[in-house]
Amino acid sequence: MTKRAPSKRSGAKVTPPEKSATAPRGARAPKTGETAEPAKAAGGSKAPGGSKAAGGTEAAGGGSKAAGGSKAAGGTKARGGSKAAGRGKAAEPAAKAAGTAGAGAKAARPESHLGMVRRARKINRELAEVYPYAHPELDFRNPFELLVATVLSAQTTDLRVNQTTPALFAKYPTPEDLAAAVPEEVEELIRPTGFFRAKTKSIMGLATALRDDFGGEVPGRLEDLVKLPGVGRKTAFVVLGNAFGVPGITVDTHFMRLARRWKWTESDDPVKIEAEVAAIFPKSDWTMLSHRVIFHGRRICHARKPACGACPITHLCPAYGEGETDPEKARKLLKYEKGGSPGQRLNPPPDYPGRPAPPLGAEA
C-alpha cells in the first residue's frame, strides 16, 4: 500500500529522493521559518537557489550570479560573461564617445567656396586693424628708384636693399646715369645684395631700355614693364601699385605661403595664385591686401615656425597649430615692430610705429 506524503501544513520534514553521487546537489529543505544554509557540494560549488556550482561558479537563482557575470571552473573566465565582459561594459562609454566623435567628424562639412571668400575678406579686414601702417618696405623717392630696388630685392631682404641703394642712387640718380655706368663699379656697390653680377646686368639693362624706349621714364603699364630686363609680374605690380596707384597683387614668397595656409588657393604657381586671389577680393583692395599679407608673413606667420600663439587671427586660420601655440614662447618669435626690433626701412613712413633700420654697417 502506498504511503501518502505528509502535508506541508504539518511542518514535517520532506525527505527528497537520494541523488547520484556523481551529481551531489542535495541539501535538506529548510524548516518553516528557518534560514536556508546551503551546503557545499563537490568542488566547493553552490547548488541552485544560491549555492555555489562546481568550480566556484554561481548558478542562476536565489540572487546568485548568472552567466554573464560568473567565473568558470578553475577560476577561468566564463564564456559570454566574465571580467572580459565587465571590461567591455567599462569600455562601453568610451566606445559611445568615440562613436559620437566619429559622428561629429562626419557631420563636419568642408568649407564652401562662399564660406572661404567670406573668411578671406574677414582676414583682410582684421589685418587692416593689426597693420594700419602697412606699406612697401623698400625706400624710394620715385618710380625709377622703386623699380631698381625691387629688382635688387630678389633673393635678399628689403633691409639689405635699403642699406645698399643710398650709395647707388647717389652716384646714378637717373636711368641715363645708370645706363652709362661702368659695370664693375655698379657690381661693387650692389655686392651686399647677392648675385651682384646678374643684378648689375638687369638694372643696367632696364636703365638702357628706359633711356632708349621710354624717354627716361618708367612706364605705367603692365605690358610695358614686363618687357624690361629683370622685371616680372611681381616687380611690375609693386611699381604699379605703389608708384602709380594702379591696383595689383604682389605674389612674393610670403604671399604665396599665407595664401596656401589660409586655403585661398592650392596652387604653387604665382600667376595662378594671383588670378585666384584676385577673384576673391575687390580690385580696390589688391595693393593694400598685398602689403598686409606680406607684413603678417614677415612678422608673425613665418615659414618655418609661425608664432600661432601670438597671432590675432587664429580664429580664422585653418592652419592654426602648425607653429608655436604657447603665447609666451610665440611672442619671442615676433619680428620687427611686433617684436620690438627695428624695421626694414631706413626712412619709414611717419605713421610707422617701429624704429628705423640702421645704415649699412651700423649697429641696430
Side-chain angles (χ1 to χ4, degrees):
M1 183 174 179
T2 305
K3 293 183 181 180
R4 296 178 65 183
S7 171
K8 292 181 180 180
R9 293 181 181 178
S10 65
K13 294 181 179 179
V14 179
T15 305
E18 293 183 358
K19 305 295 180 182
S20 171
T22 58
R25 298 174 57 193
R28 69 177 179 84
K31 294 180 181 180
T32 304
E34 181 181 358
T35 303
E37 185 175 343
K40 292 183 180 178
S45 62
K46 288 184 182 178
S51 58
K52 289 186 182 176
T57 305
E58 293 184 2
S64 60
K65 294 182 182 177
S70 59
K71 294 182 182 177
T76 59
K77 297 170 184 175
R79 183 183 300 175
S82 60
K83 291 181 179 178
R87 285 196 297 270
K89 287 183 179 180
E92 188 175 347
K96 287 182 179 179
T100 303
K106 290 180 181 177
R109 297 180 181 178
E111 185 178 46
S112 66
H113 179 73
L114 178 59
M116 181 275 291
V117 170
R118 288 174 174 169
R119 179 172 56 80
R121 293 183 177 185
K122 191 170 183 180
I123 287 176
N124 185 36
R125 291 194 298 271
E126 296 203 11
L127 288 181
E129 296 178 3
V130 177
Y131 307 107
Y133 48 83
H135 57 267
E137 293 192 90
L138 290 169
D139 285 326
F140 68 97
R141 294 171 296 185
N142 54 59
F144 172 65
E145 289 188 357
L146 179 58
L147 178 60
V148 171
T150 306
V151 171
L152 293 178
S153 69
Q155 305 298 318
T156 191
T157 64
D158 288 356
L159 170 62
R160 184 61 69 198
V161 173
N162 292 335
Q163 292 174 327
T164 302
T165 51
L168 177 69
F169 295 139
K171 190 167 185 178
Y172 310 110
T174 68
E176 291 82 2
D177 295 326
L178 184 58
V182 177
E184 290 76 16
E185 294 179 0
V186 177
E187 289 176 2
E188 193 60 32
L189 287 171
I190 67 170
R191 181 184 291 269
T193 67
F195 303 98
F196 56 91
R197 290 189 178 90
K199 289 180 180 180
T200 294
K201 185 176 180 180
S202 292
I203 63 174
M204 289 189 67
L206 70 84
T208 301
L210 292 177
R211 180 195 65 189
D212 297 344
D213 302 331
F214 298 97
E217 299 292 332
V218 176
R221 298 194 311 163
L222 176 64
E223 55 267 35
D224 292 331
L225 285 168
V226 295
K227 293 177 183 178
L228 299 173
V231 178
R233 291 180 68 87
K234 183 193 81 171
T235 297
F237 280 127
V238 169
V239 175
L240 290 172
N242 297 285
F244 294 100
V246 178
I249 294 175
T250 304
V251 184
D252 73 346
T253 181
H254 302 289
F255 196 100
M256 288 179 64
R257 180 177 71 253
L258 270 61
R260 289 173 58 84
R261 277 182 180 168
W262 293 337
K263 307 300 182 185
W264 294 357
T265 180
E266 294 182 356
S267 178
D268 55 6
D269 180 349
V271 176
K272 290 182 179 179
I273 292 173
E274 177 197 322
E276 291 179 16
V277 174
I280 297 173
F281 299 92
K283 190 173 183 178
S284 57
D285 288 350
W286 291 355
T287 300
M288 286 309 300
L289 169 73
S290 301
H291 293 325
R292 293 163 190 153
V293 173
I294 294 170
F295 255 61
H296 193 64
R298 286 173 171 170
R299 285 148 178 81
I300 297 177
C301 198
H302 313 304
R304 296 183 180 177
K305 199 170 184 180
C308 294
C311 179
I313 58 167
T314 54
H315 57 294
L316 298 170
C317 181
Y320 173 75
E322 286 187 7
E324 180 58 66
T325 57
D326 180 82
E328 198 63 34
K329 293 179 180 178
R331 277 193 288 272
K332 296 178 181 179
L333 301 174
L334 302 180
K335 293 184 178 180
Y336 305 117
E337 77 283 353
K338 293 297 183 183
S341 57
Q344 298 205 75
R345 292 187 65 165
L346 277 65
N347 299 293
D351 63 342
Y352 181 64
R355 289 177 286 157
L360 186 64
E363 292 295 331

